[in-house]
Each structure stands twice: as structure tokens, then as C-alpha cells.
Amino acid sequence: MGDQQKVIPAVEGLETKAEIRRAVIMLAWPAITEMFLNTLVQFVDTAMVGSLGAVAIAAVGVSNTPMWMLMGIFAALGVGSTALVARHVGARQLDDANRTARQSLFLGVLLALFFTLLTQAFGHLLPQAMGAEPDVIPESASYLRIISWAFPLHFSMFILTGVLRG
């Protein structure tokens, strides 16, 4: 039996509403936990700088808005990865599922590196575009440049969790 012929356990026995509900909860809790923890990171960042004053809080707040936009982009890539990998797994095309997973991760890392370099070069423009006060702009740009070094790892997580769900 080659890789294409491996038996993949199917979800069976979902006949009652309670069983279906339980299966949905079992599939959803990792994604819910992931999004909660991502939100918690930004909450903790804001709480940590709370004692540094209004400028520091404003800098983190202004920086979090573009971060949410980027997280949305990578979450969408993760959803697409989930769908493609699940399709291949369901069709018992494990080689194609593995290839899709690798390509998704490669695309995610490449985009994350692109956004890191973009933030390093033009990070000062984001706070200006968001309408930040002049004293907040350098602090926000500094914060964005620091956190952008984690983009490849942080945003790859969205792709990897999507692949694992698939």
C-alpha cells in the first residue's frame, strides 16, 4: 500500500445533534484558543506599558491596528491552507496534502519576511497614516520595528495551525 492508499479514519457515528455538537466543539476549540491567545498577547503588551504613560499606551494601541490587519491576512491564508489540505486528505492524496502544506508554509514565511522588511523600512509611516500625535509616532514606529522581527514566526503559526487543522 503506497502513501496514496493509506486508510484515513473517517468521522463516523455522528447521528444525533449532541454528537454533531460535540464534534464541532472538538474541531473548533483549537482555533478559538489560538485567536484568544493572539488577542491576549496584544492585551499583555498594552498592560505592560501601562505604567510608562499615555504616549507608550498610545504607541502600542496605534501599532496594534496594523497588526490586526496583518493577522487577518495570515488567518485567511491559514483558512485556505486548511481547506486545501483537508481536501487532499479527504481524497486520500497524502502526497498532495504534504506538498500543499509545504507550499503554504513557504508562502507564509515569504510574506512574513516581506512585511518584516516593509515595516523596518517604512514603519514610521504607519503611525502617521493612523493619525497618531507627533510624540507618539517615534515610539509607535520603534515598537513596530521591534515586533516585526517576530513576524515570520508569529504569522507562520497561522499557516501551521491551518495545515494541522486540515
Side-chain angles (χ1 to χ4, degrees), residues 31 65 67 89 98 115 125 160 165:
T65 302
M67 285 293 297
V89 169
N98 288 331
F115 284 120
L125 297 177
L160 290 171
R165 275 193 295 271

Side-chain angles (χ1 to χ4, degrees), residues 3-142:
D3 280 345
Q4 298 292 331
Q5 301 299 319
K6 286 184 182 174
V7 177
I8 300 168
V11 178
E12 296 179 20
L14 297 179
E15 297 172 7
T16 67
K17 286 184 180 180
E19 290 171 335
I20 293 170
R21 207 173 294 122
R22 195 173 318 120
V24 168
I25 290 170
M26 291 304 294
L27 289 171
W29 79 262
I32 292 168
T33 304
E34 171 190 358
M35 290 311 294
F36 172 75
L37 291 174
N38 278 312
T39 303
L40 189 63
V41 167
Q42 293 178 347
F43 176 79
V44 169
D45 280 354
T46 304
M48 285 185 350
V49 299
S51 64
L52 299 177
V55 171
I57 293 171
V60 171
V62 165
S63 301
N64 280 341
T65 302
M67 285 293 297
W68 277 103
M69 187 179 77
L70 286 176
M71 286 192 331
I73 291 169
F74 284 91
L77 288 172
V79 169
S81 300
T82 300
L84 291 172
V85 169
R87 179 178 177 209
H88 289 304
V89 169
R92 292 179 170 73
Q93 299 168 338
L94 300 183
D95 290 338
D96 290 338
N98 288 331
R99 187 172 32 261
T100 300
R102 282 191 305 273
Q103 288 175 352
S104 296
L105 182 59
F106 178 75
L107 176 64
V109 169
L110 194 65
L111 279 173
L113 287 171
F114 171 75
F115 284 120
T116 298
L117 295 175
L118 202 63
T119 302
Q120 292 298 316
F122 303 108
H124 64 285
L125 297 177
L126 281 171
Q128 287 175 346
M130 301 285 298
E133 296 290 325
D135 57 338
V136 173
I137 292 171
E139 299 298 325
S140 181
S142 177

